[in-house]
Amino acid sequence: MCAAREGRWGRRQRALLCCVLVAAWEAAWGQLRYSVPEELPKGSFVGDVAKDLALQPATLRDRGARVVSADRTQYFSLHANSGHLVTAERLDREQLCEGVQRCVLRCEVIVEGEMKVYRIEVEITDINDNAPSFEEAENELRTSEMTAPGSRFPLSKAHDSDVGVNSLQSYELSGDEHFSLSVQAGADGEKRPELVLAKALDREEAAFHELVLRAIDGGEPARTGTARIRVSVLDANDNAPVFSQAVYAVRVPEDVPVSSTLLTLTATDADEGLNGKVKYSFKGISKKFSKIFHLDPETGSIRLLRSLDFEEGDSYEMEVQAHDAGELFDTATVSISVTDVNDNAPELTVSSALSEISEDAPPGTVVALLHVQDRDSGTNGEVRCSIVESVPFRLKRELDNYYSVVTSRELDREEVSEYNVTVWASDGGSPSLRSSAVLALRVLDVNDNAPVFAEARYSARLPENNAEGALVLTVRAWDADWGQNARVRYRLAEGRVRGAPLSSYVSVQAETGALYALRSFDYEEVREVGLWVRAEDGGAPALSSNVSVRLLIVDENDNAPQVLYPPSSSAAGAGWTGVELAPRSAEPGALVAKVVAVDADAGQNAWLSYELAKATEPGLFRVGLHSGEVRTARSPLARDAPRHSLVVVVKDQGRPALSATATLTVVLAESVAELLSELGSAAAPAEPGGSLTRWLVLAVAAVSCLFVAFLLLLLALRLRRWRRSQLLPPASGALRGVPASHFVGIDGVRAFLHSYSHEVSLTADSRKSQRRRAADSCCNTLPARPPPDKAAPLLGEDAAGARGAPPDALPVSQSLRTPRRPPSRCLPPFLLIAFPSLLCFPAGEFCMLNGRTSLRSRL
């Protein structure tokens, strides 16, 4: 006995281990199976889904797990906190799975966050909650008294909605010895009770027989159902109706029209009269079948009351009875098979879908989960899903009826910002039926595009002297991204212009890209400004691009011509306005002078033209229009004045034109003496109304007075020393130690003036002048006293040996008798002081080279 128990215990362990392994295998492959009895209240526990999927309940809740079912009714739900699968309503197996031996409800658990689906099968086990029942509680059976013993009379079957051991198991008959009960098993295993006549009937003995038929199921405790049978004994009618065939079978398509006649039964009775008249009726037909089929009792035709649906039922089997007036009958079986017609389009359901996806999502990203089913069967129920459009998405099969829509390549929002993906489901029928589902998907932007300028480079022309804050140009950049990533801001790159920061010259408006000038530009200072403008978007990280901007300053005529030669009176210092020499023997066209002028502007604004505006003697001189050269227009005549004043106007070509004037003094002279004589008379104003002449005369007078005062002071000092020497007692060598330079004569004055000797060069090509002193200009006019150990030479000694004394030095009395040198060698003192460059110059030291006048003088 112990060995037997150990063997049973080992078998149970193995069976339990197999069940555990099967459950683990099914969970690993995404399928869970549970079993619950029927009639459980709402919210009853079915299974621990979280535990079986090796997930935490919080994980299921956070990832949006939910239960979906292909049927319209939701029988189960997922408890959010515990992760348990519970019933959503009371489950009645007989209502859910009528006529099905094994009742299985299927549903799926969809985890939104992981885009995964798990299949769940729940088997509803039967409980003995239904007792067997007969469709008719009281039946009346009529039979002839001529019925032979052993005759069988089919009885109505009892119906038990339960299955298995809880279903109908047996029948019992009670009430009369004339009849017995026989139970036959059909091809489908169904038990069919039959009443067997065990003993001959005698109507005169008993016209009625009361029987009780009891149906018993196998539940614990067993449930029963009863039907009363009343057997009426009829008078003799020895011929019963006979069907032409025992089984009537017909195949009809499911789309057969309503009210169509499916088939007609035929039964004949050999009797005549009322005993030979046959009527037809269903025997033991269910309410469901009675709503679909109608049997004409007179003709035996079976007519369709409502449309057939292959998906609801593919075959129907019924029993029909033909009986005569004497209540004799025959029974036949009618089998109606329904063939499938492709009348159901595929049902495509979006179980889960995304509405937005980032454009940088990698290929293979799941965007939707679809469920598809077709209620047809066979080829008509085979469904194929496809995406017809050329979109970056493809279908991936998950489970039997589930597809996922995944990305097939990288997305680009700048190419397509929204997708309407249409998924088609087509069955294999002919003609094929199909349905569709549309997925609306918006592509989210990623900052993957830098701003792009409308032009590769920009340039603008800005007139000089512009107003501060003037708009120069506007740069434009576009960003193909969207939202904040496409918001472009502009700024200047760092740089310097003429040592100053670029930002002090120009600025750019950050939002519009407008470039403004912050200061007024001067073409003569800045002719071109090169800068870089950066456009930066608002992404993170930000992307940027640069463009070069070239700003050209356009010259305007804002500078008048500037005369370089002859210089103006203010630049000449002591009133020099330009003195030129023209020989009276000059030929027509001889070059006299050249007016040199420049214009700080450029281009046409700097093109200069010269014209003679005013002349003392019109027609004597002319000016080159573009060269500025002053030439003689004709040979000078004896009647022409020796001194001529020329006013030359220099104009540029701007609009409006600006001009400047230059004044030249031309002296007609054949020799230097004539030139100096004319210059000496310059103190007398040639034009009394000229301010330049007045200032020149005043300057000469002031300098002359100072020079005369200096000479008088010097003479007084010499006389005072001479007088003191006369008051001393006479002695030999009394005049020793007196320098010979203390005796001043004409040559002494020349020696004094020699210290102011210099050279002056005036050029016509610039404002520059060159002044060079003579080599011996640093010598003292009055030499210092000789050392005491060396006696000074006497007045009567040879003065040529004394240091610093000129060779022709004489005593005062003698020097006063020395005749004056001719005027050609020495000028008046006021001219020497007023015009240091014209101290004394011998004849022949005056020259003119290439329009350059050079005056050299050396005493």
Side-chain angles (χ1 to χ4, degrees):
M1 181 179 296
C2 292
R5 289 181 179 176
E6 290 176 359
R8 289 195 298 272
W9 179 250
R11 286 194 297 272
R12 290 179 182 177
Q13 286 182 334
R14 286 193 296 270
L16 181 61
L17 180 60
C18 291
C19 293
V20 172
L21 292 176
V22 169
W25 180 83
E26 290 176 347
W29 286 93
Q31 182 167 337
L32 303 176
R33 292 182 179 178
Y34 302 101
S35 176
V36 294
E38 63 174 331
E39 300 299 333
L40 289 177
K42 180 180 179 181
S44 298
F45 174 80
V46 178
D48 192 345
V49 174
K51 179 179 179 181
D52 295 337
L53 294 180
L55 297 174
Q56 295 296 328
T59 304
L60 289 177
R61 182 179 65 252
D62 296 340
R63 297 182 181 177
R66 57 188 177 91
V67 176
V68 296
S69 176
D71 299 327
R72 296 181 179 178
T73 305
Q74 192 77 17
Y75 297 105
F76 303 97
S77 63
L78 190 63
H79 197 277
N81 294 328
S82 63
H84 294 168
L85 185 68
V86 297
T87 58
E89 62 181 21
R90 189 181 67 83
L91 302 178
D92 187 355
R93 184 189 179 283
E94 288 72 28
Q95 183 180 356
L96 297 175
C97 305
E98 183 181 1
V100 179
Q101 186 68 23
R102 185 170 180 268
C103 183
V104 177
L105 298 182
R106 295 177 175 83
C107 61
E108 290 82 25
V109 174
I110 295 178
V111 182
E112 294 275 1
E114 297 180 356
M115 285 294 178
K116 290 186 178 180
V117 59
Y118 301 91
R119 174 171 292 173
I120 298 178
E121 291 184 1
V122 180
E123 181 179 1
I124 310 301
T125 59
D126 184 51
I127 63 173
N128 193 22
D129 59 337
N130 293 282
S133 63
F134 293 90
E135 187 175 353
E136 296 178 359
E138 295 184 0
N139 296 306
E140 184 177 359
L141 182 62
R142 296 180 180 184
T143 183
S144 174
E145 61 181 354
M146 300 298 295
T147 302
S151 298
R152 295 175 178 270
F153 303 94
L155 299 177
S156 60
K157 299 178 292 183
H159 177 70
D160 194 340
S161 298
D162 297 327
V163 295
V165 296
N166 297 324
S167 64
L168 180 65
Q169 298 295 323
S170 62
Y171 291 92
E172 291 181 0
L173 184 65
S174 62
D176 200 322
E177 61 181 1
H178 288 84
F179 296 91
S180 65
L181 183 63
S182 175
V183 179
Q184 302 293 330
D188 55 355
E190 190 176 18
K191 294 178 175 61
R192 299 176 181 178
E194 292 180 349
L195 189 63
V196 181
L197 183 62
K199 188 177 179 179
L201 298 175
D202 188 357
R203 182 180 179 280
E204 290 71 24
E205 192 175 320
F208 300 96
H209 297 272
E210 297 290 338
L211 306 174
V212 176
L213 180 64
R214 181 181 290 107
I216 305 170
D217 62 17
E220 290 291 338
R223 292 176 178 267
T224 61
T226 60
R228 293 183 176 274
I229 302 173
R230 184 179 186 184
V231 180
S232 300
V233 182
L234 301 176
D235 195 15
N237 182 15
D238 55 351
N239 290 297
V242 178
F243 280 102
S244 60
Q245 56 191 58
V247 177
Y248 290 87
V250 64
R251 297 176 63 87
V252 295
E254 63 174 327
D255 60 347
V256 63
V258 178
S259 301
S260 299
T261 300
L262 302 182
L263 76 161
T264 301
L265 305 176
T266 303
T268 58
D269 194 324
D271 294 330
E272 293 181 354
L274 294 178
N275 292 330
K277 187 177 181 180
V278 179
K279 289 188 177 181
Y280 304 91
S281 64
F282 285 115
K283 184 173 181 60
I285 189 172
S286 65
K287 291 182 180 180
K288 179 180 178 181
F289 287 7
S290 64
K291 294 179 181 180
I292 301 176
F293 305 102
H294 172 71
L295 176 61
D296 192 324
E298 299 296 334
T299 62
S301 62
I302 298 177
R303 185 167 53 87
L304 187 64
L305 295 179
R306 67 175 181 85
S307 60
L308 299 175
D309 191 350
F310 177 83
E311 289 69 37
E312 291 183 3
D314 57 351
S315 65
Y316 300 90
E317 189 171 318
M318 300 163 287
E319 287 186 353
V320 293
Q321 192 177 67
H323 56 86
D324 57 15
E327 297 301 327
L328 297 178
F329 60 89
D330 189 15
T331 304
T333 301
V334 176
S335 178
I336 301 175
S337 299
V338 181
T339 59
D340 185 38
V341 175
N342 191 25
D343 60 343
N344 292 285
E347 297 177 3
L348 190 59
T349 307
V350 180
S351 300
S352 179
L354 300 178
S355 61
E356 298 176 341
I357 184 173
S358 178
E359 65 175 321
D360 61 350
T365 302
V366 179
V367 299
L369 193 63
L370 307 177
H371 177 262
V372 62
Q373 66 176 1
D374 196 316
R375 296 173 60 85
D376 295 324
S377 62
T379 306
N380 296 331
E382 296 178 358
V383 182
R384 298 180 302 275
C385 292
S386 62
I387 298 176
V388 180
E389 297 93 341
S390 178
V391 292
F393 301 96
R394 61 182 177 85
L395 289 173
K396 180 181 178 183
R397 194 180 186 94
E398 296 293 342
L399 295 178
D400 293 340
N401 297 325
Y402 279 89
Y403 290 85
S404 61
V405 180
V406 301
T407 57
S408 59
R409 58 177 173 84
E410 293 182 351
L411 305 178
D412 189 355
R413 191 207 66 82
E414 290 71 39
E415 236 178 77
V416 181
S417 60
E418 292 184 356
Y419 289 95
N420 288 324
V421 183
T422 303
V423 181
W424 291 95
S426 305
D427 59 23
S430 180
S432 177
L433 299 179
R434 66 175 186 170
S435 60
S436 64
V438 179
L439 304 175
L441 192 63
R442 186 164 65 94
V443 182
L444 299 180
D445 184 49
V446 174
N447 191 26
D448 56 349
N449 291 279
V452 177
F453 283 94
E455 299 180 18
R457 60 184 59 87
Y458 288 87
S459 63
R461 299 173 66 87
L462 178 66
E464 65 172 331
N465 303 320
N466 57 283
E468 294 182 1
L471 176 64
V472 179
L473 81 161
T474 301
V475 296
R476 292 288 185 185
W478 286 267
D479 197 308
D481 293 322
W482 181 82
Q484 184 67 22
N485 295 331
R487 185 181 179 184
V488 179
R489 296 180 65 86
Y490 305 89
R491 63 185 179 91
L492 287 176
E494 295 183 359
R496 303 186 74 84
V497 177
R498 295 176 59 88
L502 179 62
S503 57
S504 64
Y505 282 84
V506 293
S507 68
V508 63
Q509 215 284 333
E511 299 293 338
T512 63
L515 198 67
Y516 296 95
L518 299 182
R519 63 169 62 181
S520 179
F521 285 90
D522 189 354
Y523 176 82
E524 288 70 39
E525 293 182 0
V526 179
R527 299 193 176 189
E528 180 178 338
V529 177
L531 54 97
W532 288 86
V533 177
R534 172 172 293 179
E536 190 174 86
D537 59 26
L543 300 179
S544 63
S545 60
N546 299 324
V547 69
S548 65
V549 179
R550 185 184 180 194
L551 182 59
L552 301 176
I553 309 302
V554 179
D555 181 50
E556 290 192 350
N557 193 26
D558 59 341
N559 290 282
Q562 184 178 4
V563 177
L564 299 181
Y565 185 82
S568 61
S569 59
S570 60
W576 176 264
T577 59
V579 178
E580 304 293 340
L581 175 65
R584 285 188 175 273
S585 60
E587 297 293 332
L591 180 63
V592 176
K594 182 174 182 179
V595 178
V596 179
V598 294
D599 196 313
D601 295 323
Q604 185 176 349
N605 297 328
W607 295 351
L608 302 179
S609 62
Y610 304 84
E611 94 181 72
L612 187 59
K614 184 178 181 182
T616 304
E617 182 66 35
L620 179 58
F621 300 98
R622 60 182 175 85
V623 178
L625 179 62
H626 300 294
S627 63
E629 294 178 348
V630 180
R631 297 180 181 271
T632 56
R634 57 177 176 80
S635 297
L637 302 177
R639 59 181 176 83
D640 292 332
R643 181 186 178 93
H644 295 267
S645 178
L646 306 180
V647 179
V648 179
V649 177
V650 184
K651 292 183 179 180
D652 57 24
Q653 302 299 316
R655 292 180 181 272
L658 301 179
S659 62
T661 59
T663 303
L664 287 172
T665 300
V666 180
V667 177
L668 298 178
E670 289 293 343
S671 63
V672 176
E674 294 183 17
L675 173 62
L676 295 178
S677 175
E678 183 61 31
L679 290 177
S681 63
E687 297 182 6
S691 61
L692 180 61
T693 305
R694 287 197 303 270
W695 286 107
L696 180 61
V697 171
L698 293 175
V700 170
V703 172
S704 299
C705 292
L706 290 176
F707 182 75
V708 171
F710 174 75
L711 291 181
L712 293 177
L713 178 61
L714 182 62
L715 183 59
L717 291 175
R718 295 304 180 192
L719 291 175
R720 183 170 177 268
R721 287 186 179 182
W722 175 77
R723 184 174 180 179
R724 288 177 61 186
S725 64
Q726 292 294 330
L727 295 176
L728 293 176
S732 62
L735 295 179
R736 288 186 180 271
V738 179
S741 58
H742 287 188
F743 301 93
V744 180
I746 295 301
D747 291 336
V749 176
R750 291 181 58 202
F752 171 76
L753 295 178
H754 184 73
S755 62
Y756 294 92
S757 177
H758 60 279
E759 290 184 1
V760 177
S761 296
L762 300 179
T763 61
D765 57 346
S766 69
R767 297 181 180 180
K768 298 178 180 179
S769 63
Q770 183 177 1
R771 178 176 179 179
R772 186 177 62 189
R773 294 182 179 274
D776 53 351
S777 62
C778 297
C779 60
N780 294 327
T781 303
L782 300 177
R785 180 178 298 178
D789 55 350
K790 186 175 180 180
L794 297 175
L795 182 63
E797 295 178 0
D798 188 4
R803 288 185 303 166
D808 50 355
L810 297 175
V812 175
S813 58
Q814 188 178 355
S815 60
L816 293 178
R817 292 191 298 267
T818 304
R820 188 181 299 272
R821 294 188 180 270
S824 61
R825 292 296 306 275
C826 192
L827 296 177
F830 69 90
L831 285 181
L832 295 179
I833 300 301
F835 301 98
S837 60
L838 299 177
L839 291 174
C840 283
F841 52 94
E845 290 193 11
F846 175 84
C847 63
M848 180 180 292
L849 300 176
N850 296 329
R852 172 179 174 183
T853 304
S854 178
L855 301 179
R856 293 175 177 269
S857 65
R858 182 180 300 273
L859 187 62

